Structures are given as structure tokens and as C-alpha cells.
């Protein structure tokens, strides 16, 4: 990957930074197109504003602090009657609100757009809606279209304007009433009401950079209708993944979530100054300003170094004034950004495949930017895994040159206090807050693959996976594996790839890209063979169970090599309970509430390294890991009540742990099963010959041509590619 020539294509299809090349990973079926402008991708940092009727309360009801839940949802958590809550509009007169000052603050903070809450769950509109009088113009003494004035101020200030829109509504009479989970379905009447309100927002407020849908549990048809409406009225408006059912232009992580992996899609983390709330909370303990500023700078670095955009929220008071602490946090972040903007705006995610203990990386063309969050004891910043001649290293904020030495693919930069090779004092490096080192190259650079296969089989286990983020609704968001990348070496001038697969992949359509040349392949068996597990080589041990937590994609055991089933929880009850008399091969059905899950841990002992097969049955969704390593996860918009799949498990010699999280998204009961297979069938497809040019290594990528959306899981975890 020659970084020097990496294109920045304006207003084009989404780029996907794969492990060793920049390639498009944007096949979609349910979503008509993927249209992130390069401007949206490059902006990196934006302002979120939670401002509404709830701001009047400031987290207090009847003289008492409401400590449960977010303060913008105080109506629900304090149990305020709807008519009493509605009367609060008579007190809402935010005369201290100044849209131009808000825009100025955003710009000083280095933010490139503002996303404003047009309507939150309480149903109160911060704009003049013609479909309800429960809005800031008709129901309050303020009597002005506050959102319109902010949109105009954004345009005057030269930054983008976007809106948040809650898909649930506690005020609309034909919507579901307040529930504990905010993931209620939409009645037909409520859906039509939302369509009308979204239409007026998209029509009456100028160019909208993005619409941030939130909550609710829509049908695929409802998500499709809203997605197409926005596309028709504002084709350049980006649509958040929380619309659901994988109708998405950019994925949204869970609140205040910072993934530790890169994604090959546009994505965003929305964060609040305080994780406890988004709306104004008068009694919030705000703590040390410097610590909070450093926390948010660190979070910004985490997001942009993994290719995302950071959306940081403020919650104005009910009178419209900005909380001084939040203002000062933003100004502090902006001061740091102003010195290091070159490493932020327009940058791309770290091209490296392994993290560095000292911090994170972005890059832009032929330059690498190293963000130092943990200075090594010897003050030496080491970088390896690349090819290219380093021309210079300097402290970005001052341009101060730094001493460095390079030997092959290993670079060592001296960030210690003292005198560098040009006689310049480098004390500023050690004293700088999150110093950024700019590394320039003579003629670009390339990144070495983390894994290179030498004339062997290409399997998921030796690939460099590409991840997305699938979301059917807020509670059903998860890390979705969308493709596999491989690098391989061979002395051959041509190869004839042979793809092996199981019955679970028969009929699937995939795209195979070899050194930039693509081919669409439908998996139709041209040969087959039976695989048998050696008798006595595998022992299925104890089975354990515990309740699942949080959203579907939250699996605490992922990344752990070994899970201790005897570990006690805080309430001194055993987390894992042994399942007695479980019958393998039998389909179980249990009554379980929607949005609930449980986790099974199966111990498996093998006397050798070998691959075995198991047939897993699941309901709406399953998240599968083996020895802490991600195998597959899926939660289909088709809402299947029961599905079976063969999963090949690459066991290591000794003890293994198969963990499956079973999730019920929509039903009154959940079905599941585990069936170990002593033998199974492997099918084969021989492809046409590929001529190879002389290269140090070659690349192959595999994506699903028949995926429901470009964020949907590939579900081809049994694929093996042999290079004959």
C-alpha cells in the first residue's frame, strides 16, 4: 500500500481500509447506495447537543435529585405524569440561548458540525412542527423556532448542521407508552407521524449533514421507508445506523463506546462529557477540568486512529446557557487540536495491524502521525512493520526536529529531554500534552501484512478480518465480520484456487479479489468429501450457563484465552452454573423476554490440534467465540425464529472453550441446540486460473456478494481456499 498515492476521492463511495490495501467494501442489498462524502469522513469531530424540555428540570424533580437513568429521560425515570410534564413547557423560555455563540464554541473546539436534538423521547419538538402543538413555538413563551435559528447560524459560521430524531415518542397518543427499554415497535399511526415530521425537517431547514435516528424497534419496511424518504429529499444527508435493520450510511457505536478494532465502514462514537447523562444535570459532580479535558482528548484519539468520527455532547441549562465546565472542556480540547490538526482532519485510520504500547497512529498520504499517550520509560518511540525510508521526525505542534535512527523496518525516535542531532532542545516533547510526532518519508511507505501465508491454506484463522457494525435496533447492535483479507507468498506464476465449504455455505454468492482482480463466485459443489473426527480424540466436557448482559454485541468473554467458570460475582453468587443432563442434538425451547439473552460455555478437550464440526441451532441471533476468538455473529433482519448452521471449530491440543451467546430479539421464546458432529461433508469449487505477477506477496480478499447490507455479517466462517 503506497501511502504516498492514497487517493482522497471527494463525494464518493465509502473507502474501506483493509489490512494491506485501500479497497471498496460496499456491497449492499437492502440499502440502495452508500454515499458518505469525503467531507463527512474527514471531519472527525462534531458537537452533539441534548437540549429540550427536560433541560428545565436539570435532573431534579420535586426537590430531589433523580439519580436513575439519563436526565434527558427524567419524565420516565421520575415517573412524571404526562400532563404535568407537558405543563413544564409554560416555564421553558431559554432566553440565554445564543446560536451564534454555540457555533463559535464548536468552531473553537475544532468541531466541524453540530447535531441537534430536534425531538427526544418525550416528544417535545425543538422546532416548529405542524403535526403537533407540543413544540417550542406553539407551547412555550419563547415562541421561536430555535432549531431554525441554529441551522442558520451553522450556515453563517461555515459548519455542518445535522439533527437527532427520536423514533419513539412518549407524547404522541398513538405511540406505545413509556417502557423500561425504549425499544418499542412503531404502530402504523406512529410510523406515519414520524414520516411526516422527518419530511418537514428535511424540507424546511436547509441542507442537513446527517440525521441521527435513535431507539425504537422498527420493521424492515419501516426502516426502508424512512431511509428512502431522507435519500429522496436530501441525497447527501448521512443516515445513522440506529434507524435499524441495517439501513445505514454510518454505524453508531453504543453510547460512549470505543472499539479496540478497526472497521471498514464509516462509523461514529457518540459520547457525553459525563457518561451518566446527556441532558443537563444541575447536581452533576464535574471534577477536575484538566482530567476531563485529557479524557476527551484521549477518546478523540482512540476514535480517529480507528477510522471513526467523534461526536461529543453538551447539555445546556433550561435557560439556554452553556455549562461553563463543559465549555472549558471543549475549549481545552480545541486548543490541543489547533496545534495538531494536521494529524486529525482528513487523516485515515492506523494502517498498522497491531497496537503500540505508547499510543495510537493516523496517517495521511506519505506521513505517519504518532499520538503519544504513554511515554516509555526510556523515552524511545519504536515503530516497526513498514517499508520506506524515513526523511524526518518532528514534534507536530512546534515543528521541532527529533533525533531518530532507522534500521530496515524498525524506527526509533528519541523523545527524551536533551539535545537532538541538530542541536535543538527537545524538552517540549516530554512536557507536551498528548504529543504528536510527525514522521515523513522520502518516497511513501508500505505496511507489512501481520500474517503472510506461505503456499498454504487460507482459512479465517490466518486471515486479517474486516469488521463492520450491524444494528437492527439499539439493543441489537454488534460487531459484524464483513470480510476476510489474506496475504500469501508463492513461487508459482499462476494459481487455481479451490474453495472448500460446508452445507451452510452452499448456494452463497461471494466476491473474490486476487491482486486487484475480482470474480463473483456462487458456491455450487463440484466435488465433495467426508471428514471424520478421529475416534476418542475429542471429549465434550461440562456445559455452563449464565444470563447475558447488555446489548446483543456485548460479550465480556471475547478476547479472553480462558474463562474461569468458578469466578464469583460481586453478590457472591457463581456467575456460571453447570447445566445438568443436557441432551446434545435436541432442540430446546425456553420462554424468554425480548431483548434478553443467555450464554453457554462448552468445555471441549482435544488430544491434538484439529478442526471439528458442530451444528448449532439458534433463534434470532447468536454470537460465537472459541477460546476468546471471534468466530461469527449474526442477527438477521428477517427475524428467524430458529436457524441451524454448521460451525467448524479449530481446536488446540488440550482444553478449549466454546462460548455462544443466544439472543431473543422479538419472540416470546427462544430455541437453541448443540449437536456435535462425528462426520460432515466438505464441498469443493475449483475456480479458473489466475496469472500472478512477480511480487513479494500477493493479496486475496473475500466478501459476501449476497450480503443483506454492507454492514451485514459475511457468515462464511467455514471457508477454506487452497492455492493449487
Amino acid at each position: 500500500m503506497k501511502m504516498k498515492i492514497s487517493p482522497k476521492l471527494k463525494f464518493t463511495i465509502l473507502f474501506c481500509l483493509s489490512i494491506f490495501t485501500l479497497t471498496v467494501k460496499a456491497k449492499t442489498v437492502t440499502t440502495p447506495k452508500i454515499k458518505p462524502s469525503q467531507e463527512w469522513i474527514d471531519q472527525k469531530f462534531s458537537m452533539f447537543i441534548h437540549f429540550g424540555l427536560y433541560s428545565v428540570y436539570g435532573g431534579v424533580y420535586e426537590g430531589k435529585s433523580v439519580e436513575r437513568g439519563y436526565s434527558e429521560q427524567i419524565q420516565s425515570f421520575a415517573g412524571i405524569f404526562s400532563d404535568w410534564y407537558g405543563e413544564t413547557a409554560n416555564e421553558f423560555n431559554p432566553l440565554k440561548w445564543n446560536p451564534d455563540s454555540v457555533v463559535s464554541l464548536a468552531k473553537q473546539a475544532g468541531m466541524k458540525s453540530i447535531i441537534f436534538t430536534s425531538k427526544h423521547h418525550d416528544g417535545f419538538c425543538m422546532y416548529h412542527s405542524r403535526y403537533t402543538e407540543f413544540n417550542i413555538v406553539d407551547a412555550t413563551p419563547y415562541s421561536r423556532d430555535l432549531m431554525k435559528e441554529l441551522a442558520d447560524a451553522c450556515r453563517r459560521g461555515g459548519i455542518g448542521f445535522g439533527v437527532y430524531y427520536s423514533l419513539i415518542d412518549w407524547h404522541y397518543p398513538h405511540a406505545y407508552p413509556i417502557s423500561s427499554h425504549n425499544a418499542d415497535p412503531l404502530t402504523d399511526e406512529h410510523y406515519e407521524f414520524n414520516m411526516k415530521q422527518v419530511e418537514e425537517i428535511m424540507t424546511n431547514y436547509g441542507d442537513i449533514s446527517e440525521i441521527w435516528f435513535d431507539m425504537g424497534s422498527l420493521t424492515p419496511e419501516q426502516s426502508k421507508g424512512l431511509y428512502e424518504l431522507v435519500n429522496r429529499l436530501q441525497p447527501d444527508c448521512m443516515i445513522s445506523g440506529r434507524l435499524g435493520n441495517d439501513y445505514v450510511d454510518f454505524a453508531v457505536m453504543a453510547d460512549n463506546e470505543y472499539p479496540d478494532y478497526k472497521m471498514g465502514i464509516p462509523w461514529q462514537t457518540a459520547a457525553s462529557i459525563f457518561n451518566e447523562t446527556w441532558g443537563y444535570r444541575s447536581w452533576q459532580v464535574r471534577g477536575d477540568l484538566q482530567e476531563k479535558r485529557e479524557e476527551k482528548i484521549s477518546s478523540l484519539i482512540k476514535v480517529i486512529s480507528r477510522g471513526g468520527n467523534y461526536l461529543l455532547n453538551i447539555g445546556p441549562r433550561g435557560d439556554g446557557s452553556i455549562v461553563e465546565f463543559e465549555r472549558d472542556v471543549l475549549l481545552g480540547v480545541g486548543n490541543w487540536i489547533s496545534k495538531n490538526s494536521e494529524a486529525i482532519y482528513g487523516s485515515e485510520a492506523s494502517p498498522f495491524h497491531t497496537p503500540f504500547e505508547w499510543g495510537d497512529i493516523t496517517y495521511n498520504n506519505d506521513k505517519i502521525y504518532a499520538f503519544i499517550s504513554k511515554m516509555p520509560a526510556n523515552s524511545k518511540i519504536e515503530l516497526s512493520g513498514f517499508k520506506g525510508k524515513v526523511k524526518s521526525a518532528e514534534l507536530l505542534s512546534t515543528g521541532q526536529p527529533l533525533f531518530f535512527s532507522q534500521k530496515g523496518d524498525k524506527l526509533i525516535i528519541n523523545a527524551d529531554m536533551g539535545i537532538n542531532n541538530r542541536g535543538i532542545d527537545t524538552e517540549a516533547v516530554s512536557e507536551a500534552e498528548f504529543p504528536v510526532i510527525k514522521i515523513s518519508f522520502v518516497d511513501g511507505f508500505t505496511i507489512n501484512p501481520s500474517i503472510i501465508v506461505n503456499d498454504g491454506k487460507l482459512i479465517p484463522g490466518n486471515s486479517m478480518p474486516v469488521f463492520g457494525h450491524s444494528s437492527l435496533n439499539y439493543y441489537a447492535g454488534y460487531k459484524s465480520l464483513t470480510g476476510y483479507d489474506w496475504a500469501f507468498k508463492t513461487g508459482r506464476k499462476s494459481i487455481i484456487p479451490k474453495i472448500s465449504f460446508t452445507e451452510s455455505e452452499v448456494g452463497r454468492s461471494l466476491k473474490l479479489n486476487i491482486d486487484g482482480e475480482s470474480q463473483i463466485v456462487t458456491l455450487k459443489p463440484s466435488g465433495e468429501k467426508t471428514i471424520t473426527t478421529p475416534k476418542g480424540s475429542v471429549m465434550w466436557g461440562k456445559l455452563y450457563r449464565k444470563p447475558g448482559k447488555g446489548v446483543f454485541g456485548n460479550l465480556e468473554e471475547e478476547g479472553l484465552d480462558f474463562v474461569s467458570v468458578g469466578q464469583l460475582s460481586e453478590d457472591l453468587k457463581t456467575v456460571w452454573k453447570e447445566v445438568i443432563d443436557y441432551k446434545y442434538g435436541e432442540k430446546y425451547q425456553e420462554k424468554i423476554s425480548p431483548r434478553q439473552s443467555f450464554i453457554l460455555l462448552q468445555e471441549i478437550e482435544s488430544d491434538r490440534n484439529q478442526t471439528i464440526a458442530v451444528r448449532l441451532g439458534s433463534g434470532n441471533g447468536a454470537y460465537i467465540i472459541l477460546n476468546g476468538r471471534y468466530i461469527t455473529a449474526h442477527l438477521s433482519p428477517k427475524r428467524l425464529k430458529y436457524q441451524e448452521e454448521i460451525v467448524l471449530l479449530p481446536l488446540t491440543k488440550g482444553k478449549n472453550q466454546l462460548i455462544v451467546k443466544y439472543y431473543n430479539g422479538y419472540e416470546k421464546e427462544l430455541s437453541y441446540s448443540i449437536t456435535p458432529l462425528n462426520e460432515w461433508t466438505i464441498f469443493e469449487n475449483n475456480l479458473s486460473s489466475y496469472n500472478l505477477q512477480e511480487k513479494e506477496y500477493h493479496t486475496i480478499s473475500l466478501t459476501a456478494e449476497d450480503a443483506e447490507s454492507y454492514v451485514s455479517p459475511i457468515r462464511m466462517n467455514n471457508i477454506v481456499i487452497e492455492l493449487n
Side-chain angles (χ1 to χ4, degrees):
M1 177 174 60
K2 276 285 183 183
M3 302 301 165
K4 183 179 180 180
I5 60 174
S6 174
K8 293 273 191 183
L9 300 177
K10 296 294 180 181
F11 300 95
T12 59
I13 202 165
L14 162 70
F15 71 87
C16 168
L17 176 61
S18 73
I19 302 302
F20 36 72
T21 184
L22 291 174
T23 57
V24 173
K25 305 277 187 185
K27 172 62 184 177
T28 175
V29 175
T30 58
T31 52
K33 61 179 178 178
I34 301 166
K35 48 171 178 38
S37 69
Q38 197 68 42
E39 181 181 6
W40 188 93
I41 292 171
D42 289 346
Q43 65 185 7
K44 304 303 178 186
F45 190 32
S46 298
M47 175 183 283
F48 212 176
I49 302 177
H50 275 65
F51 188 32
L53 204 54
Y54 44 82
S55 305
V56 176
Y57 291 88
V60 177
Y61 183 61
E62 294 186 334
K64 296 181 180 179
S65 301
V66 179
E67 298 184 8
R68 183 181 180 187
Y70 295 150
S71 289
E72 69 276 10
Q73 300 183 44
I74 193 170
Q75 181 184 4
S76 170
F77 289 108
I80 307 174
F81 294 118
S82 60
D83 54 339
W84 292 4
Y85 187 82
E87 289 172 0
T88 307
N90 297 325
E91 307 171 33
F92 192 27
N93 193 19
L95 295 177
K96 293 185 179 180
W97 171 262
N98 185 323
D100 288 302
S101 293
V102 173
V103 170
S104 176
L105 174 60
K107 293 175 68 174
Q108 290 178 77
M111 295 163 156
K112 298 299 184 181
S113 68
I114 293 177
I115 312 304
F116 183 75
T117 45
S118 66
K119 182 185 77 170
H120 210 270
H121 308 338
D122 59 2
F124 183 80
C125 297
M126 294 293 285
Y127 70 99
H128 195 194
S129 175
R130 60 181 292 191
Y131 299 106
T132 176
E133 293 183 353
F134 197 48
N135 69 72
I136 195 167
V137 176
D138 297 324
T140 76
Y142 190 71
S143 299
R144 287 155 51 189
D145 192 330
L146 187 147
M147 190 172 86
K148 179 70 163 60
E149 294 176 1
L150 178 60
D152 292 342
C154 285
R155 276 181 277 280
R156 286 194 298 272
I159 66 174
F161 174 73
V163 296
Y164 168 105
Y165 183 85
S166 173
L167 292 163
I168 61 172
D169 191 318
W170 298 335
H171 183 80
Y172 183 64
H174 297 291
Y176 277 73
I178 296 176
S179 66
S180 63
H181 50 74
N182 295 339
D184 295 300
L186 268 60
T187 64
D188 291 342
E189 295 87 351
H190 186 192
Y191 170 65
E192 290 302 322
F193 176 73
N194 283 352
M195 288 284 284
K196 291 175 182 177
Q197 286 201 318
V198 171
E199 182 175 15
E200 66 183 354
I201 292 172
M202 291 292 119
T203 303
N204 300 331
Y205 292 85
D207 291 338
I208 307 293
S209 62
E210 67 187 69
I211 182 165
W212 219 93
F213 289 112
D214 196 23
M215 294 302 175
S217 182
L218 282 63
T219 66
E221 292 74 22
Q222 290 172 338
S223 296
K224 181 175 185 288
L226 281 164
Y227 187 89
E228 291 181 345
L229 173 67
V230 174
N231 270 337
R232 176 171 58 83
L233 296 175
Q234 297 231 22
D236 293 326
C237 177
M238 293 284 284
I239 302 171
S240 79
R242 291 195 187 178
L243 176 58
N245 297 298
D246 284 348
Y247 281 89
V248 51
D249 290 334
F250 67 94
V252 176
M253 301 298 101
D255 297 351
N256 296 287
E257 180 187 6
Y258 304 98
D260 58 1
Y261 55 92
K262 290 190 300 184
M263 283 177 281
I265 58 172
W267 64 277
Q268 184 186 80
T269 280
S272 51
I273 297 289
F274 306 98
N275 292 359
E276 301 88 349
T277 189
W278 300 75
Y280 172 59
R281 178 173 285 180
S282 60
W283 48 270
Q284 177 71 46
V285 177
R286 292 178 168 82
D288 184 78
L289 177 63
Q290 177 68 12
E291 288 182 4
K292 183 59 67 172
R293 180 178 68 173
E294 291 180 359
E295 174 191 313
K296 297 311 169 186
I297 293 174
S298 176
S299 297
L300 170 65
I301 294 170
K302 289 178 185 176
V303 173
I304 64 173
S305 66
R306 291 160 179 79
N309 282 1
Y310 189 45
L311 182 63
L312 183 58
N313 179 76
I314 61 171
R317 299 182 180 94
D319 62 7
S321 61
I322 304 301
V323 177
E324 290 77 13
F325 183 88
E326 298 184 354
R327 177 202 63 199
D328 291 344
V329 169
L330 296 189
L331 291 175
V333 174
N335 181 56
W336 178 84
I337 288 177
S338 67
K339 300 173 184 177
N340 299 287
S341 60
E342 181 182 329
I344 299 168
Y345 306 121
S347 68
E348 301 189 46
S350 171
F352 292 88
H353 323 305
T354 54
F356 297 95
E357 290 186 3
W358 45 258
D360 295 285
I361 282 176
T362 63
Y363 82 91
N364 198 337
N365 294 324
D366 62 347
K367 298 175 179 62
I368 286 176
Y369 303 94
F371 295 78
I372 314 303
S373 56
K374 184 180 179 182
M375 184 68 73
N378 63 1
S379 298
K380 300 292 193 300
I381 304 302
E382 297 187 10
L383 193 67
S384 59
F386 67 92
K387 291 183 180 177
K389 184 178 180 181
V390 175
K391 178 170 62 177
S392 64
E394 62 187 65
L395 183 63
L396 180 60
S397 60
T398 64
Q400 193 170 29
L402 302 174
F403 174 79
F404 68 90
S405 61
Q406 181 182 6
K407 186 175 182 180
D409 71 343
K410 188 172 184 179
L411 172 69
I412 299 177
I413 300 172
N414 186 358
D416 196 4
M417 295 171 59
I419 305 299
N420 69 7
N421 62 330
R422 298 187 183 182
I424 298 177
D425 188 357
T426 61
E427 182 175 352
V429 176
S430 60
E431 293 185 348
E433 178 184 57
F434 295 101
V436 182
I437 297 176
K438 175 181 176 180
I439 305 167
S440 301
F441 290 80
V442 173
D443 188 26
F445 64 92
T446 60
I447 299 299
N448 299 327
S450 58
I451 301 174
I452 298 180
V453 181
N454 290 305
D455 261 339
K457 294 182 179 180
L458 306 182
I459 60 175
N462 60 22
S463 75
M464 293 165 284
V466 180
F467 290 106
H469 185 85
S470 180
S471 179
L472 272 66
N473 55 54
Y474 175 81
Y475 295 93
Y478 64 101
K479 179 173 71 174
S480 56
L481 197 156
T482 60
Y484 298 103
D485 286 340
W486 290 275
F488 68 94
K489 286 185 177 181
T490 181
R492 305 173 188 176
K493 294 183 178 180
S494 65
I495 56 172
I496 304 175
K498 180 173 70 174
I499 302 180
S500 301
F501 50 97
T502 70
E503 63 184 59
S504 295
E505 293 81 37
V506 170
R508 294 290 308 279
S509 179
L510 58 86
K511 177 182 286 186
L512 198 66
N513 185 295
I514 302 179
D515 284 347
E517 183 179 345
S518 294
Q519 178 182 149
I520 306 300
V521 179
T522 299
L523 297 178
K524 297 179 180 179
S526 57
E528 62 182 67
K529 58 184 176 182
T530 300
I531 306 296
T532 303
T533 301
K535 188 174 182 179
S537 66
V538 175
M539 182 179 73
W540 284 71
K542 293 181 179 180
L543 179 68
Y544 297 89
R545 173 172 171 159
K546 73 171 185 177
K549 293 181 181 179
V551 299
F552 169 59
N554 179 10
L555 189 55
E556 298 171 325
E557 291 73 21
E558 185 174 356
L560 300 178
D561 294 333
F562 184 80
V563 176
S564 175
V565 294
Q567 185 177 359
L568 299 182
S569 61
E570 293 180 359
D571 58 5
L572 301 182
K573 295 180 181 178
T574 303
V575 173
W576 295 96
K577 293 185 178 181
E578 186 177 353
V579 180
I580 306 299
D581 297 328
Y582 183 83
K583 296 180 180 179
Y584 296 98
E586 182 172 312
K587 179 181 176 182
Y588 286 82
Q589 292 179 297
E590 294 185 16
K591 290 189 178 299
I592 182 172
S593 300
R595 296 168 302 281
Q596 298 299 310
S597 62
F598 62 86
I599 305 172
L600 295 182
L601 185 153
Q602 174 67 61
E603 294 182 339
I604 308 173
E605 190 157 352
S606 176
D607 67 2
R608 69 197 73 184
N609 293 334
Q610 62 176 321
T611 296
I612 67 169
V614 59
R615 188 184 299 275
L616 291 179
S618 60
N620 298 149
Y623 200 111
I624 305 169
I625 63 175
L626 177 68
N627 300 328
R629 187 174 66 83
Y630 183 109
I631 298 295
T632 187
H634 51 81
L635 186 58
S636 172
K638 296 178 181 178
R639 307 188 179 201
L640 301 175
K641 292 184 178 181
Y642 183 70
Q643 53 188 313
E644 289 187 340
E645 61 189 312
I646 290 180
V647 180
L648 299 184
L649 303 176
L651 303 182
T652 59
K653 183 178 180 180
K655 293 181 179 180
N656 297 265
Q657 292 178 328
L658 170 66
I659 297 179
V660 184
K661 182 174 185 177
Y662 290 104
Y663 180 82
N664 181 37
Y666 316 98
E667 312 300 333
K668 295 181 179 179
E669 61 182 15
L670 187 150
S671 301
Y672 65 98
S673 63
I674 301 176
T675 308
L677 300 178
N678 292 323
E679 66 177 32
W680 62 97
T681 301
I682 292 294
F683 301 98
E684 298 174 345
N685 262 165
N686 288 305
L687 306 185
S688 56
S689 176
Y690 279 84
N691 293 321
L692 300 176
Q693 298 179 356
E694 282 194 33
K695 290 184 176 182
E696 181 181 355
Y697 61 85
H698 304 273
T699 62
I700 291 183
S701 67
L702 187 153
T703 55
E705 181 68 12
D706 55 6
E708 294 171 329
S709 167
Y710 81 113
V711 298
S712 298
I714 184 173
R715 298 189 69 176
M716 294 187 186
N717 42 284
N718 299 324
I719 290 285
V720 175
I721 301 176
E722 296 182 58
L723 306 174
N724 300 311

